[in-house]
Amino acid sequence: MKIPGVRRLSAIFLGVLAWAVLTVPCATFVLVLFALFPTSSPGQTLGGPCPTSNSTNQTIATVSPDLICVVPQVYGAGGLVGVNNNGPLGSTNQASAAFRHSVHFQASSLASFAPLTAEIGTQLSQLPITSPASGFIFSFNPSLGVVAETTRNFGPILTERAQTIGKHKLYVGFSYQYFDFDNVDGVDLRNFGAVFQHEFATCPNPNPTNVTCYNNGTTTVPVITKDFISTQNRIDLKVHQFTAVGTFGVTNRLDLSVAIPILDVRMDMTSNATIQNIESTDPTIIPACCVHQLNPSSLQPGETLAPAVTASSNGFTYFNQALFTRASSAAGVGDLVVRGKFQAARGERVSLAVGVDVHFPTGDELNLLGAGTWGTRPFVAFSYAGRVAPHATFGYQINGNSLLAGDIAANAKAHLPNIITYTVGADAGITRHLSASVEFLGQALHNEKKVFQAPPVTDFVGASHPDISTTTATVNQASIAVGGKVNPFGRLLITADVLFRVNAAGLHSKPVPLVGISYTF
């Protein structure tokens, strides 16, 4: 069926594609120039969007609105430092302090939370999107001497097949997916513990106030540096992803495609933090209880201070527990993906195609909308044409450097993990107007940050507190998608699909529903 204006639609599509290929790199070049010539003023904070690692050397007046800072700044703009550095703890840096030092546990908190943020951000930038593969394909029929539709099923939903759409054919589609993330590497995001140790401090020399010290095996340090903060945390992370895709058949064997994701990302975090003081249990320790305590005046609206407690060592009353909360959201365009696919071998039923995806860094990585770097994924696709049509792909995505993979508190970029991708699936034509699809999606992220449950930490009265730690490893993720497509009339397709994660590696979502609509001109 010929649709009036199809050539105009094709021209518009090619124009958008040309804009993506030519304009986006130019804009990126301009951004690079700005990066090379920074415009920081003397009063501007240094160290990136949430520089809590440097909060004792500068004034960080406000919490960053960026999503990437929700976790590192859950305790405030300065992190786990004294109120004099815009943190929630009482100051111990005044001249009258028995042991004068900058109160801060933020190095330990960042050691746990920064890699967690990096893993979340990295894997949010690699969410699966709907395939630009057309549900209808066309090829030249030599016996009839015409181009004819050869569709026996409506093709994959999230993966790819080797067949091309056909010369000068145009496919456009739109889909919606909902992600509700519940754990990362098997650690429950809705309920996980983390323990933060005090930073290193040496015993005063001279020691006029007789601060109690001990040898930690390396040097002599104050006993009160054994104090730590135990936390119980919850992260709620939800993503609404809308994706527009288009494919144009340049020739019978060459397709050009574009995918434009639009994301709405929402992240909330609460942290119930308790200071565990060794001096509250031992009256012989100097300085006496309690050096580390919460400052009631530093809490923000919505944060809750627990009732004051009394130390058994000296009867001192102080605040040692509070519930902190931070939330933010962002919406915008994600990373644009441009694809070229060439059908290298074509038999009566078997086809082999090679292609390449180019990921443009159009999404704002500070708000978890994109990767913050370029990515290139060459791939190969195999498929068999029939009423039941198996297909498979294999690819390797090469990425650049991004803040998501580095240290967000220190504004240091690192290499975003390269990714091996592989898929296997089959599509089956149930009736003339209905097809079903089953797909397996796998990916391996090399040198990715990974969170794991560490041994619990025992406090000074024998209670244990859960903890997490981080490492770097290859993260192998596996998912299965089950769905179908309905053809109510013409070349209109309505798609429905559910994606299930089958292992706990990396960032894990509850079942992901997808609905979409597409048309082939």
Side-chain angles (χ1 to χ4, degrees), residues 446-514:
H446 296 294
N447 297 319
E448 168 68 315
K449 292 181 174 64
K450 187 175 181 180
V451 179
F452 64 91
Q453 204 76 53
V457 177
T458 302
D459 65 20
F460 312 111
V461 294
S464 62
H465 303 274
D467 194 14
I468 59 171
S469 189
T470 58
T471 186
T472 301
T474 297
V475 175
N476 292 290
Q477 299 177 317
S479 304
I480 291 178
V482 179
K485 297 182 181 182
V486 177
N487 172 221
F489 59 85
R491 297 190 189 124
L492 179 72
L493 289 176
I494 298 174
T495 303
D497 181 88
V498 180
L499 179 70
F500 302 89
R501 279 292 302 275
V502 296
N503 68 353
L507 187 61
H508 179 281
S509 175
K510 294 179 179 179
V512 180
L514 176 152

Coordinates of all heavy atoms in Angstrom, one line a residue, residues 446-514:
H446 N 32.9 -5.1 31.3 CA 34.3 -5.3 31.8 C 34.8 -4.3 32.8 O 34.5 -3.1 32.6 CB 35.3 -5.4 30.6 CG 35.0 -6.5 29.7 ND1 35.2 -7.8 30.0 CD2 34.6 -6.5 28.4 CE1 34.9 -8.6 29.0 NE2 34.5 -7.8 28.0
N447 N 35.5 -4.7 33.8 CA 36.0 -3.7 34.8 C 35.0 -2.8 35.4 O 35.2 -1.6 35.5 CB 37.2 -3.0 34.2 CG 38.3 -3.9 33.8 OD1 38.7 -4.8 34.5 ND2 38.9 -3.6 32.6
E448 N 33.8 -3.3 35.7 CA 32.8 -2.5 36.3 C 32.8 -2.5 37.8 O 33.2 -3.5 38.4 CB 31.4 -3.1 35.8 CG 30.2 -2.6 36.5 CD 29.9 -1.1 36.2 OE1 30.8 -0.3 36.3 OE2 28.7 -0.8 36.0
K449 N 32.5 -1.4 38.4 CA 32.4 -1.4 39.9 C 31.3 -2.3 40.3 O 30.2 -2.4 39.7 CB 32.2 0.1 40.3 CG 33.4 1.0 40.1 CD 33.1 2.4 40.6 CE 34.4 3.2 40.5 NZ 34.8 3.4 39.1
K450 N 31.5 -3.0 41.4 CA 30.6 -4.0 41.9 C 30.4 -3.9 43.4 O 31.4 -3.8 44.1 CB 31.0 -5.4 41.5 CG 30.1 -6.5 41.7 CD 30.6 -7.8 41.2 CE 29.6 -9.0 41.4 NZ 30.1 -10.2 40.8
V451 N 29.2 -4.0 43.9 CA 28.9 -3.9 45.3 C 28.7 -5.3 45.9 O 28.1 -6.1 45.2 CB 27.7 -3.0 45.6 CG1 27.4 -2.9 47.1 CG2 27.9 -1.6 45.0
F452 N 29.2 -5.6 47.1 CA 28.9 -6.9 47.7 C 28.7 -6.7 49.2 O 29.1 -5.7 49.8 CB 30.0 -7.9 47.4 CG 31.3 -7.5 48.0 CD1 31.7 -8.0 49.2 CD2 32.2 -6.8 47.2 CE1 33.0 -7.6 49.7 CE2 33.5 -6.4 47.7 CZ 33.9 -6.9 49.0
Q453 N 28.0 -7.7 49.8 CA 27.8 -7.6 51.3 C 29.1 -8.0 52.0 O 29.6 -9.1 51.8 CB 26.7 -8.6 51.6 CG 26.0 -8.3 52.9 CD 25.0 -7.2 52.7 OE1 24.1 -7.2 51.9 NE2 25.1 -6.2 53.6
A454 N 29.6 -7.1 52.8 CA 30.8 -7.3 53.6 C 30.5 -7.9 54.9 O 29.3 -7.9 55.3 CB 31.5 -6.0 53.8
P455 N 31.4 -8.5 55.6 CA 31.2 -9.0 57.0 C 30.7 -7.9 57.9 O 31.1 -6.8 57.8 CB 32.6 -9.5 57.4 CG 33.3 -9.8 56.2 CD 32.8 -8.8 55.2
P456 N 29.7 -8.2 58.8 CA 29.2 -7.2 59.7 C 30.3 -6.7 60.6 O 31.3 -7.3 60.9 CB 28.1 -7.9 60.4 CG 28.4 -9.4 60.3 CD 29.1 -9.6 59.0
V457 N 30.0 -5.5 61.1 CA 30.9 -4.8 62.0 C 30.3 -4.8 63.4 O 29.2 -4.5 63.6 CB 31.2 -3.4 61.6 CG1 32.1 -2.6 62.6 CG2 31.8 -3.3 60.2
T458 N 31.1 -5.3 64.4 CA 30.6 -5.4 65.8 C 31.0 -4.1 66.6 O 32.1 -3.6 66.5 CB 31.3 -6.6 66.5 OG1 31.0 -7.8 65.8 CG2 30.8 -6.7 67.9
D459 N 30.0 -3.6 67.3 CA 30.2 -2.3 68.0 C 30.8 -2.6 69.4 O 31.2 -3.8 69.7 CB 28.9 -1.5 68.1 CG 27.8 -2.1 68.9 OD1 28.1 -3.0 69.7 OD2 26.6 -1.7 68.7
F460 N 30.8 -1.6 70.3 CA 31.5 -1.7 71.6 C 30.6 -2.4 72.7 O 31.1 -2.6 73.8 CB 31.9 -0.3 72.0 CG 32.6 0.4 70.9 CD1 32.0 1.5 70.3 CD2 33.8 0.0 70.4 CE1 32.6 2.2 69.2 CE2 34.4 0.6 69.3 CZ 33.8 1.7 68.7
V461 N 29.4 -2.8 72.4 CA 28.6 -3.5 73.3 C 28.2 -4.9 72.7 O 27.3 -5.6 73.3 CB 27.3 -2.7 73.7 CG1 27.7 -1.5 74.5 CG2 26.5 -2.4 72.5
G462 N 28.8 -5.3 71.6 CA 28.6 -6.6 71.0 C 27.6 -6.7 70.0 O 27.4 -7.8 69.4
A463 N 26.9 -5.6 69.6 CA 25.9 -5.7 68.5 C 26.6 -5.6 67.2 O 27.6 -4.9 67.0 CB 24.9 -4.5 68.7
S464 N 26.0 -6.3 66.2 CA 26.6 -6.3 64.8 C 25.9 -5.4 63.9 O 24.6 -5.3 64.0 CB 26.7 -7.7 64.3 OG 25.4 -8.3 64.1
H465 N 26.5 -4.8 62.9 CA 25.9 -3.9 62.0 C 26.3 -4.3 60.5 O 27.5 -4.5 60.3 CB 26.4 -2.5 62.3 CG 26.1 -2.0 63.7 ND1 24.9 -1.5 64.1 CD2 26.9 -2.1 64.8 CE1 25.0 -1.2 65.4 NE2 26.2 -1.6 65.8
P466 N 25.4 -4.5 59.6 CA 25.7 -4.9 58.3 C 26.4 -3.8 57.5 O 26.3 -2.6 57.8 CB 24.3 -5.1 57.6 CG 23.3 -4.3 58.5 CD 23.9 -4.3 59.9
D467 N 27.2 -4.3 56.6 CA 28.1 -3.4 55.8 C 28.2 -3.8 54.4 O 27.9 -5.0 54.1 CB 29.5 -3.4 56.5 CG 30.4 -2.2 56.0 OD1 29.9 -1.3 55.4 OD2 31.6 -2.3 56.3
I468 N 28.6 -2.9 53.5 CA 28.9 -3.2 52.1 C 30.3 -2.8 51.8 O 30.9 -2.0 52.5 CB 27.9 -2.5 51.2 CG1 28.0 -1.0 51.3 CG2 26.5 -3.0 51.4 CD1 27.3 -0.2 50.3
S469 N 30.8 -3.4 50.7 CA 32.1 -3.1 50.2 C 32.0 -3.1 48.7 O 31.0 -3.5 48.1 CB 33.2 -4.0 50.7 OG 34.5 -3.5 50.4
T470 N 33.1 -2.7 48.0 CA 33.1 -2.6 46.6 C 34.3 -3.2 46.0 O 35.4 -3.3 46.6 CB 32.9 -1.2 46.1 OG1 34.0 -0.4 46.6 CG2 31.6 -0.5 46.5
T471 N 34.2 -3.7 44.8 CA 35.3 -4.2 44.0 C 35.1 -3.9 42.6 O 34.2 -3.2 42.2 CB 35.5 -5.7 44.3 OG1 36.7 -6.2 43.6 CG2 34.3 -6.5 43.7
T472 N 36.1 -4.3 41.7 CA 35.9 -4.2 40.3 C 36.0 -5.6 39.6 O 36.9 -6.3 39.9 CB 37.1 -3.3 39.7 OG1 37.0 -2.0 40.4 CG2 36.9 -3.1 38.2
A473 N 35.1 -5.8 38.8 CA 35.0 -7.2 38.2 C 34.2 -7.1 36.9 O 33.6 -6.0 36.6 CB 34.4 -8.2 39.2
T474 N 34.1 -8.2 36.2 CA 33.2 -8.3 35.1 C 31.8 -8.7 35.5 O 31.6 -9.6 36.3 CB 33.7 -9.4 34.1 OG1 34.9 -9.0 33.5 CG2 32.7 -9.5 32.9
V475 N 30.8 -7.9 35.1 CA 29.4 -8.1 35.5 C 28.7 -8.7 34.4 O 28.5 -8.1 33.3 CB 28.8 -6.7 36.0 CG1 27.3 -6.9 36.3 CG2 29.5 -6.2 37.2
N476 N 28.2 -9.9 34.5 CA 27.5 -10.6 33.5 C 26.0 -10.6 33.8 O 25.5 -11.2 34.8 CB 27.9 -12.1 33.4 CG 29.4 -12.2 32.9 OD1 29.7 -11.9 31.8 ND2 30.3 -12.5 33.8
Q477 N 25.2 -9.9 33.0 CA 23.8 -9.7 33.1 C 23.0 -10.5 32.1 O 23.5 -10.6 30.9 CB 23.4 -8.3 33.0 CG 24.0 -7.4 34.1 CD 23.7 -5.9 33.9 OE1 23.7 -5.4 32.8 NE2 23.4 -5.2 35.0
A478 N 21.9 -11.1 32.5 CA 21.1 -12.0 31.7 C 19.7 -11.7 31.9 O 19.2 -11.6 33.0 CB 21.4 -13.5 31.9
S479 N 18.9 -11.6 30.8 CA 17.5 -11.3 30.8 C 16.8 -12.1 29.8 O 17.3 -12.4 28.7 CB 17.2 -9.8 30.6 OG 17.9 -9.0 31.5
I480 N 15.5 -12.3 30.0 CA 14.6 -12.9 29.0 C 13.4 -12.0 28.8 O 12.8 -11.5 29.8 CB 14.2 -14.3 29.5 CG1 15.3 -15.3 29.5 CG2 13.0 -14.9 28.6 CD1 15.0 -16.7 30.0
A481 N 13.0 -11.8 27.6 CA 11.9 -11.0 27.2 C 10.8 -11.9 26.5 O 11.2 -12.7 25.6 CB 12.3 -9.8 26.3
V482 N 9.6 -11.7 26.8 CA 8.5 -12.4 26.2 C 7.4 -11.4 25.8 O 7.0 -10.6 26.6 CB 7.9 -13.5 27.2 CG1 6.7 -14.2 26.5 CG2 8.9 -14.5 27.7
G483 N 7.0 -11.5 24.6 CA 6.0 -10.5 24.1 C 5.4 -10.9 22.8 O 5.6 -12.0 22.3
G484 N 4.7 -10.0 22.2 CA 4.0 -10.2 20.9 C 3.7 -9.0 20.2 O 3.8 -7.9 20.8
K485 N 3.3 -9.1 19.0 CA 2.9 -8.0 18.1 C 1.5 -8.3 17.5 O 1.3 -9.4 17.0 CB 3.9 -7.6 17.1 CG 5.3 -7.2 17.6 CD 6.2 -6.8 16.5 CE 7.6 -6.4 17.1 NZ 8.5 -6.0 16.0
V486 N 0.6 -7.3 17.4 CA -0.7 -7.4 16.8 C -0.7 -6.5 15.6 O -0.3 -5.3 15.8 CB -1.8 -7.2 17.8 CG1 -3.2 -7.3 17.1 CG2 -1.7 -8.2 19.0
N487 N -1.3 -6.9 14.5 CA -1.4 -6.1 13.3 C -3.0 -5.9 13.1 O -3.6 -6.7 12.4 CB -0.8 -6.8 12.1 CG -1.1 -6.2 10.8 OD1 -1.3 -6.8 9.8 ND2 -1.1 -4.8 10.8
P488 N -3.5 -4.8 13.6 CA -5.0 -4.6 13.5 C -5.4 -4.3 12.1 O -6.5 -4.7 11.7 CB -5.2 -3.4 14.5 CG -3.9 -2.7 14.6 CD -2.9 -3.8 14.5
F489 N -4.6 -3.5 11.4 CA -4.9 -3.2 10.0 C -3.6 -2.6 9.3 O -2.7 -2.2 10.0 CB -6.1 -2.2 9.9 CG -5.8 -0.9 10.6 CD1 -5.1 0.1 10.0 CD2 -6.2 -0.7 11.9 CE1 -4.9 1.3 10.6 CE2 -6.0 0.5 12.5 CZ -5.3 1.5 11.9
G490 N -3.7 -2.7 8.0 CA -2.5 -2.1 7.2 C -1.2 -2.6 7.7 O -1.0 -3.8 7.9
R491 N -0.3 -1.7 7.9 CA 1.1 -2.1 8.4 C 1.3 -1.5 9.8 O 2.4 -1.2 10.2 CB 2.1 -1.6 7.4 CG 2.1 -2.3 6.1 CD 3.3 -2.0 5.2 NE 3.1 -2.5 3.9 CZ 3.2 -1.8 2.8 NH1 3.5 -0.5 2.9 NH2 3.0 -2.3 1.6
L492 N 0.2 -1.3 10.5 CA 0.3 -0.8 11.9 C 0.5 -2.0 12.8 O -0.2 -3.0 12.7 CB -1.0 -0.1 12.3 CG -1.1 0.4 13.7 CD1 -0.2 1.6 13.9 CD2 -2.5 0.8 14.1
L493 N 1.4 -1.9 13.7 CA 1.7 -2.9 14.7 C 1.6 -2.3 16.1 O 2.1 -1.2 16.4 CB 3.1 -3.5 14.5 CG 3.3 -4.4 13.3 CD1 4.8 -4.8 13.2 CD2 2.4 -5.6 13.3
I494 N 1.0 -3.1 17.0 CA 0.9 -2.8 18.4 C 1.7 -3.8 19.2 O 1.5 -5.0 18.9 CB -0.5 -2.7 18.9 CG1 -1.3 -1.6 18.2 CG2 -0.6 -2.5 20.4 CD1 -2.8 -1.6 18.5
T495 N 2.7 -3.4 20.0 CA 3.6 -4.3 20.6 C 3.4 -4.3 22.1 O 3.2 -3.3 22.7 CB 5.1 -3.9 20.3 OG1 5.2 -3.8 18.9 CG2 6.1 -4.8 20.9
A496 N 3.6 -5.5 22.7 CA 3.6 -5.6 24.2 C 4.7 -6.6 24.6 O 4.8 -7.6 23.9 CB 2.2 -6.0 24.7
D497 N 5.4 -6.3 25.7 CA 6.5 -7.2 26.0 C 6.8 -7.0 27.5 O 6.5 -6.0 28.1 CB 7.7 -6.8 25.2 CG 9.0 -7.6 25.5 OD1 9.1 -8.6 24.8 OD2 9.8 -7.2 26.3
V498 N 7.4 -8.1 28.1 CA 7.8 -8.0 29.5 C 9.3 -8.5 29.6 O 9.5 -9.6 29.1 CB 6.9 -8.7 30.5 CG1 7.5 -8.6 31.9 CG2 5.5 -8.2 30.4
L499 N 10.2 -7.8 30.2 CA 11.6 -8.2 30.3 C 11.8 -8.6 31.7 O 11.5 -7.9 32.7 CB 12.5 -7.0 30.0 CG 14.0 -7.2 30.1 CD1 14.5 -8.1 29.0 CD2 14.7 -5.8 30.0
F500 N 12.4 -9.8 31.9 CA 12.7 -10.4 33.2 C 14.2 -10.6 33.3 O 14.8 -11.2 32.5 CB 12.0 -11.8 33.3 CG 10.5 -11.8 33.1 CD1 9.9 -12.0 31.9 CD2 9.7 -11.6 34.2 CE1 8.5 -12.0 31.7 CE2 8.3 -11.6 34.1 CZ 7.7 -11.8 32.8
R501 N 14.7 -10.1 34.4 CA 16.1 -10.4 34.7 C 16.2 -11.8 35.4 O 15.4 -12.1 36.2 CB 16.7 -9.4 35.7 CG 17.1 -8.1 35.1 CD 18.3 -8.2 34.2 NE 19.4 -8.8 34.9 CZ 20.3 -8.0 35.6 NH1 20.1 -6.7 35.7 NH2 21.3 -8.6 36.3
V502 N 17.1 -12.6 34.9 CA 17.2 -14.0 35.4 C 18.5 -14.2 36.3 O 18.7 -15.3 36.8 CB 17.3 -15.0 34.2 CG1 16.0 -14.9 33.4 CG2 18.5 -14.7 33.3
N503 N 19.2 -13.1 36.5 CA 20.3 -13.2 37.5 C 20.4 -11.9 38.3 O 19.7 -10.9 37.9 CB 21.6 -13.6 36.9 CG 22.2 -12.5 36.0 OD1 21.6 -11.5 35.7 ND2 23.4 -12.7 35.5
A504 N 21.2 -11.8 39.3 CA 21.2 -10.6 40.2 C 22.4 -9.8 39.9 O 22.7 -8.9 40.7 CB 21.2 -11.1 41.7
A505 N 23.2 -10.0 38.9 CA 24.4 -9.3 38.6 C 24.1 -7.8 38.2 O 23.2 -7.6 37.4 CB 25.2 -9.9 37.5
G506 N 24.8 -6.9 38.8 CA 24.6 -5.5 38.4 C 23.3 -4.9 38.9 O 22.7 -5.4 39.9
L507 N 22.9 -3.9 38.3 CA 21.6 -3.2 38.6 C 20.4 -4.0 38.2 O 20.3 -4.3 37.0 CB 21.6 -1.8 38.0 CG 20.5 -0.9 38.4 CD1 20.5 -0.6 39.9 CD2 20.5 0.5 37.7
H508 N 19.6 -4.4 39.1 CA 18.5 -5.3 38.8 C 17.1 -4.6 38.9 O 16.9 -3.9 39.9 CB 18.6 -6.5 39.8 CG 17.5 -7.5 39.7 ND1 16.2 -7.3 40.1 CD2 17.5 -8.7 39.1 CE1 15.5 -8.4 39.9 NE2 16.2 -9.3 39.2
S509 N 16.3 -4.8 38.0 CA 14.9 -4.3 38.0 C 13.9 -5.4 38.2 O 14.1 -6.5 37.8 CB 14.7 -3.5 36.7 OG 13.3 -3.0 36.6
K510 N 12.8 -5.0 38.7 CA 11.6 -5.8 38.7 C 11.2 -6.0 37.2 O 11.7 -5.3 36.3 CB 10.5 -5.2 39.5 CG 10.7 -5.1 41.0 CD 9.6 -4.5 41.7 CE 9.8 -4.4 43.2 NZ 8.7 -3.8 43.9
P511 N 10.3 -7.0 36.9 CA 9.9 -7.1 35.5 C 9.5 -5.8 34.8 O 8.8 -5.0 35.4 CB 8.7 -8.1 35.6 CG 8.9 -8.9 36.8 CD 9.6 -7.9 37.8
V512 N 10.1 -5.6 33.6 CA 10.0 -4.4 32.9 C 8.9 -4.5 31.8 O 9.1 -5.2 30.8 CB 11.3 -4.0 32.3 CG1 11.2 -2.6 31.5 CG2 12.4 -3.9 33.3
P513 N 7.8 -3.8 31.9 CA 6.8 -3.8 30.9 C 7.1 -2.9 29.7 O 7.7 -1.8 30.0 CB 5.5 -3.4 31.6 CG 6.0 -2.5 32.7 CD 7.3 -3.1 33.1
L514 N 6.7 -3.2 28.6 CA 6.9 -2.4 27.4 C 5.6 -2.4 26.5 O 5.0 -3.5 26.3 CB 8.1 -2.9 26.5 CG 8.4 -2.2 25.2 CD1 9.9 -2.3 24.9 CD2 7.6 -2.8 24.0

